[in-house]
Amino acid sequence: MTDGMLPDVLDDAVVAAWSASGAPLVDLLRQARTPGRLTGFRRGGRAAVLVTEPRHVHQVLGVGGDRYVKRSHRARPLIGDGMLTATGEAWRSQRRLLQAMFTGRGIQRWEHHIVAAADRVVVRWAERARRDEPTDIAEDTQFFTVDTIWRSLTDHPLDQETYVDLAAVQDIVAALPADVGGSAALPPDVETALAALDERMHRAIAQARARHSAARRSSDGSGSGPSVLDRLLDAAETDPAYTDRLIRDELVTLLVAGYESSARTLTWAFVLLDRHPDVMERAAHDPRAVEAVLHETLRLYPTGWLLPRHAPVDETLDGWRIPAGTDLLVCPYLTHRDPEVWPDPETFAPERFPARTPLPPGAYLPFGIGPRACLGTRFAMREMETLLGALLSRFTVETTEPAGEPVFGINLRPAGPLFARVRERS
Ligand code: HEM
């Protein structure tokens, strides 16, 4: 930041020291944070502004949601032109198409899928309990969230082989170059994983299309099918934008956006509950307590811990000049630890929810806010409440080793597996 247009600017020497230390970005942001203010700094030759104050967050993502845009996503080579990376009119029409499927009413069509996927995990845990074997909660919750998303996309339960192909997306994303548009070749095993994923998606599209036209022939053609894929195939009949390529991109997007965050949130919930057995007991008997646990987990560990935006033209934010080209780093992780809004912010206290007085706009945003807020909020909450409620009401859970350190990657997750001993409640 050279022209001093912001009140707080982090010295270049601090950024250089951070960069030399190899520490994660969150460490730099912690140093940059000045309560109540915007802080500017230069990173890799680019101007950046840290945005943590709720009213600033509201201005950038909420009211300014159409002006501060997403930069090209690192995962673009994987998710192509799906809803997460699309912008402008293309994004608007893609979002409009699927929006209705993901409202509170819309997700009712997937209630049976969510319940069936949760039952599978319950059966797995019952087996573990019987054999007195520890289970890996990180793996179990991940299988569950891939299963729910796959069922809602295709109307089919997940099998183990498909799971392996689909869950590889996180290794593919991790292997993609951080500099968007970089043309470095991918390692051969990542290329193979990508090919397997594509093959899986195209097969699902072909099967759904065959089913779809058979259903069309045997019905009066009214109403759309039950799965996301059916909805996309419907759209393809009237809108040439929906090529097989875009349908594939949308499926992969929903997979990438839709399983890891929910799985990691569930894992974090178990990490926190393990440290608070009294809360675990309450949640075992009260669905409202389960919901509060999830909200508080998302406050402390919002998996979307950093939501970057970009100002394509000169802007003014809270009276300060933001030159074109500046990155705006909205950081829910830091915003959620603001002591002005959350007394004793480091403490896990689910009784904060539901909030007794309305929270200031921009103060709580695990699912983002504004036009690009999470499409899957209702779906995610429903699936997480269902699984957590089902498991806690039937089993006691005790981890066998401490949870790994938080990893601030694309998602915020605990490092490594989370092994726990589960026992049937008597
Ligand atoms: C606990 C679970 C989840 C969390 C914490 C979460 C969080 C978020 C956040 C913070 C964003 C906004 C990103 C930004 O503003 O840059 C987002 C976007 C999105 N999420 Fe989620 N998400 C979750 C689950 C899901 C699920 C289950 C689905 C799909 C079924 C989903 C689909 C999407 C999509 C498609 C977008 C992009 C929306 C757009 O750009 O218009 N998410 N999510």
Side-chain angles (χ1 to χ4, degrees):
M1 229 27 74
T2 49
D3 49 358
M5 66 283 174
L6 290 174
D8 290 290
V9 176
L10 196 63
D11 201 88
D12 284 348
V14 175
V15 183
W18 162 79
S19 180
S21 75
L25 178 60
V26 70
D27 285 6
L28 180 69
L29 301 186
R30 280 197 187 105
Q31 293 183 67
R33 177 156 191 257
T34 326
R37 313 264 225 154
L38 296 160
T39 311
F41 57 94
R42 285 205 151 265
R43 187 170 64 115
R46 279 227 296 260
V49 175
L50 174 64
V51 181
T52 59
E53 186 64 15
R55 69 173 196 289
H56 295 149
V57 171
H58 177 60
Q59 284 171 39
V60 173
L61 295 183
V63 292
D66 290 325
R67 300 202 315 275
Y68 298 101
V69 297
K70 291 189 176 187
R71 264 192 200 282
S72 189
H73 200 283
R74 168 184 180 164
R76 185 160 203 131
L78 171 66
I79 57 187
D81 297 325
M83 192 188 315
L84 210 54
T85 52
T87 52
E89 202 35 56
W91 164 76
R92 224 177 305 279
S93 84
Q94 282 168 253
R95 175 121 189 173
R96 214 180 296 126
L97 182 71
L98 296 185
Q99 185 86 48
M101 297 193 105
F102 286 93
T103 58
R105 249 179 91 97
I107 62 160
Q108 284 172 11
R109 83 186 68 206
W110 294 317
E111 187 67 22
H112 64 294
H113 284 327
I114 291 175
V115 169
D119 278 350
R120 264 181 158 179
V121 186
V122 169
V123 169
R124 187 188 294 195
W125 278 29
E127 186 60 21
R128 294 275 200 268
R130 203 177 56 75
R131 297 189 185 181
D132 197 24
E133 279 172 10
T135 196
D136 176 2
I137 291 179
E139 179 63 23
D140 295 340
T141 55
Q142 176 168 297
F143 189 93
F144 167 72
T145 59
V146 178
D147 195 7
T148 56
I149 196 78
W150 186 244
R151 288 172 192 250
S152 64
L153 294 179
T154 64
D155 220 18
H156 285 297
L158 185 68
D159 59 76
Q160 186 61 30
E161 272 181 18
T162 310
Y163 171 64
V164 170
D165 287 348
L166 301 185
V169 295
Q170 58 191 313
D171 303 328
I172 300 172
V173 173
L176 294 171
D179 60 320
V180 178
S183 56
L186 294 173
D189 55 331
V190 175
E191 289 285 3
T192 309
L194 195 51
L197 178 71
D198 272 345
E199 151 85 32
R200 189 67 67 185
M201 290 300 172
H202 285 297
R203 213 181 315 154
I205 295 170
Q207 279 168 0
R209 180 168 281 131
R211 231 176 357 126
H212 201 68
S213 35
R216 273 289 147 90
R217 277 196 301 276
S218 63
S219 80
D220 62 0
S222 64
S224 60
S227 71
V228 170
L229 193 38
D230 284 320
R231 186 81 195 87
L232 294 167
L233 290 172
D234 272 347
E237 287 177 9
T238 52
D239 183 348
Y242 282 91
T243 56
D244 276 12
R245 177 75 210 179
L246 183 59
I247 294 175
R248 173 260 175 228
D249 288 352
E250 209 66 291
L251 294 181
V252 178
T253 292
L254 288 168
L255 179 69
V256 167
Y259 85 88
E260 214 187 332
S261 292
S262 311
R264 304 305 169 232
T265 303
L266 283 163
T267 307
W268 279 122
F270 279 106
V271 170
L272 291 164
L273 289 169
D274 194 53
R275 294 177 196 153
H276 298 86
D278 52 324
V279 180
M280 178 141 35
E281 274 314 298
R282 251 196 324 275
H285 303 105
D286 179 1
R288 279 167 316 173
V290 172
E291 193 180 338
V293 162
L294 288 166
H295 285 307
E296 178 68 344
T297 302
L298 284 162
R299 182 185 71 80
L300 281 171
Y301 297 108
T303 57
W305 69 279
L306 185 71
L307 308 177
R309 292 294 190 273
H310 168 73
V313 297
D314 288 349
E315 291 286 351
T316 305
L317 180 55
D318 203 20
W320 301 99
R321 203 165 72 76
I322 306 289
T326 304
D327 287 329
L328 292 105
L329 305 180
V330 178
C331 185
Y333 177 80
L334 293 177
T335 301
H336 289 180
R337 286 161 194 259
D338 179 348
E340 292 285 312
V341 182
W342 311 100
D344 204 1
E346 301 294 329
T347 301
F348 175 65
E351 59 276 14
R352 298 179 204 269
F353 294 96
R356 269 169 284 283
T357 50
L359 294 166
Y364 182 67
L365 66 156
F367 293 101
I369 54 171
R372 302 300 296 245
C374 181
L375 177 80
T377 306
R378 306 300 293 263
F379 183 90
M381 286 306 295
R382 189 76 203 119
E383 64 172 338
M384 294 190 300
E385 282 163 26
T386 304
L387 183 67
L388 194 56
L391 293 176
L392 293 179
S393 64
R394 179 145 170 195
F395 303 95
T396 59
V397 188
E398 227 174 289
T399 60
T400 58
E401 50 200 87
E405 289 299 305
V407 178
F408 292 83
I410 293 184
N411 267 298
L412 171 55
R413 63 179 170 86
L418 182 69
F419 283 105
R421 216 161 268 292
V422 296
R423 296 197 175 83
E424 298 263 4
R425 287 179 180 276
S426 40

